[in-house]
């Protein structure tokens, strides 16, 4: 499977405000949580595609964004199909799950008016893709061979999506403004990733009493 270089992974880890807590990894590798991990992973891929399409519908005049989001949406849907196929092989039924507080918590910090709204949305996209990449890398050595290899195979595209979102945001504002908004959302993200959660999800914080 195609992976990312150590340098790129270190860049992504440096971009994030904190590492995924070890307690989350311990829960994620539990055999009784594998179905939840995969179902929520499928949901994340589907939502990522929907977000890209929503940006294409809202910002029709931004050709660079249209091209980047079109490719991203196709890749995220392909990943969704791959996760569902893997679930089928493992006899895991795709069912509804409540969403984690992660994305919702980040989007609470988005400004209401453009261009601030778009800048903030792109920064959130970069953070979510970077966190996904970091978690794939953390999980891959902890899971069975098939799932570990699958997560390694996703690293390259997730890293590219992170870069696409960040560069799009950089093209809309000066460095000082971008740094200020990055600091704002990194604080939110760190609290969401490190704070205790009541339910285990792909982007949740650590959970004490696991439930679905």
């Amino acid at each position: 499977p195609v992976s990312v270089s150590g340098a790129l992974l270190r860049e992504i880890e440096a971009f994030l405000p904190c590492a995924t807590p070890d307690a989350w990894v311990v829960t994620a590798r539990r055999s009784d949580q594998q179905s939840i991990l995969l179902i929520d992973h499928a949901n994340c891929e589907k939502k990522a595609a929907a977000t890209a399409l929503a940006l294409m519908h809202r910002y029709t005049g931004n050709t660079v964004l249209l091209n980047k989001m079109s490719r991203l949406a196709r890749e995220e849907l392909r990943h969704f199909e791959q996760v569902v196929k893997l679930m089928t092989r493992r006899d895991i039924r795709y069912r509804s799950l409540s969403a984690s507080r992660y994305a919702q918590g980040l989007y609470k910090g988005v400004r209401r008016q453009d261009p601030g709204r778009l800048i903030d949305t792109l920064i959130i996209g970069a953070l979510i893709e970077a966190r996904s990449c970091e978690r794939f890398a953390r999980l891959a050595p902890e899971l069975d061979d098939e799932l570990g290899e699958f997560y390694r195979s996703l690293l390259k595209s997730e890293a590219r999506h992170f870069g696409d979102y960040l560069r799009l945001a950089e093209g809309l504002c000066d460095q000082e403004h971008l740094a200020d908004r990055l600091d704002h959302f990194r604080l939110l993200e760190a609290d969401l990733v490190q704070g205790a959660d009541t339910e285990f999800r792909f982007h949740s914080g650590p959970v004490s009493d696991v439930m679905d």
Side-chain angles (χ1 to χ4, degrees):
V2 179
S3 187
V4 297
S5 69
L8 182 53
L9 194 54
R10 287 192 293 273
E11 177 188 340
I12 288 169
E13 290 169 347
F15 174 78
L16 292 168
C18 61
T20 289
D22 291 340
W24 181 89
V25 179
V26 169
T27 302
R29 69 187 184 199
R30 283 172 45 179
S31 59
D32 64 333
Q33 293 302 306
Q34 296 292 290
S35 61
I36 300 300
L37 179 69
L38 287 168
I39 293 168
D40 199 51
H41 178 184
N43 288 339
C44 290
E45 301 290 1
K46 190 167 58 173
K47 289 173 187 174
T51 297
L53 290 172
L55 287 170
M56 291 176 68
H57 282 292
R58 186 173 181 86
Y59 301 102
T60 54
N62 189 327
T63 305
V64 176
L65 181 145
L66 290 175
N67 287 331
K68 294 290 187 184
M69 292 300 104
S70 176
R71 180 180 180 182
L72 189 148
R74 292 197 303 272
E75 290 185 339
E76 301 289 19
L77 285 174
R78 175 59 179 153
H79 295 165
F80 169 77
E81 293 166 4
Q82 290 174 320
V83 179
V84 171
K85 184 177 180 180
L86 196 152
M87 288 167 54
T88 301
R89 287 203 300 271
R90 293 170 177 238
D91 199 28
I92 297 172
R93 180 175 58 88
Y94 188 32
R95 58 186 175 87
S96 296
L97 285 180
S98 58
S100 73
R101 63 194 179 102
Y102 179 78
Q104 187 178 30
L106 289 174
Y107 279 107
K108 285 180 180 178
V110 173
R111 290 168 287 182
R112 294 180 179 271
Q113 301 297 322
D114 282 315
R117 177 177 175 174
L118 177 55
I119 293 167
D120 290 352
T121 301
L122 294 170
I123 288 172
I124 289 172
L127 275 167
I128 292 174
E129 297 290 346
R131 180 60 65 188
S132 298
C133 196
E134 185 249 9
R135 290 205 163 175
F136 287 143
R138 287 289 304 275
L139 281 175
E142 305 288 342
L143 302 172
D144 62 78
D145 290 345
E146 181 187 40
L147 195 49
E149 287 185 11
F150 175 57
Y151 278 2
R152 287 187 191 95
S153 76
L154 298 180
L155 287 172
K156 187 174 182 180
S157 55
E158 297 296 319
R160 184 175 62 254
H161 297 167
F162 152 70
D164 286 346
Y165 273 119
L166 189 58
R167 282 188 292 273
L168 285 167
E170 288 170 346
L172 294 172
C173 59
D174 60 41
Q175 288 186 345
E176 184 178 356
H177 182 81
L178 181 68
D180 179 67
R181 298 310 293 170
L182 280 170
D183 287 345
H184 171 71
F185 285 105
R186 281 192 181 109
L187 284 173
L188 290 177
E189 211 259 355
D191 179 65
L192 292 164
V193 166
Q194 295 176 320
D197 262 306
T198 57
E199 55 188 14
F200 171 70
R201 297 291 185 266
F202 186 81
H203 286 114
S204 70
V207 241
S208 49
D209 298 320
V210 175
M211 62 182 76
D212 64 7

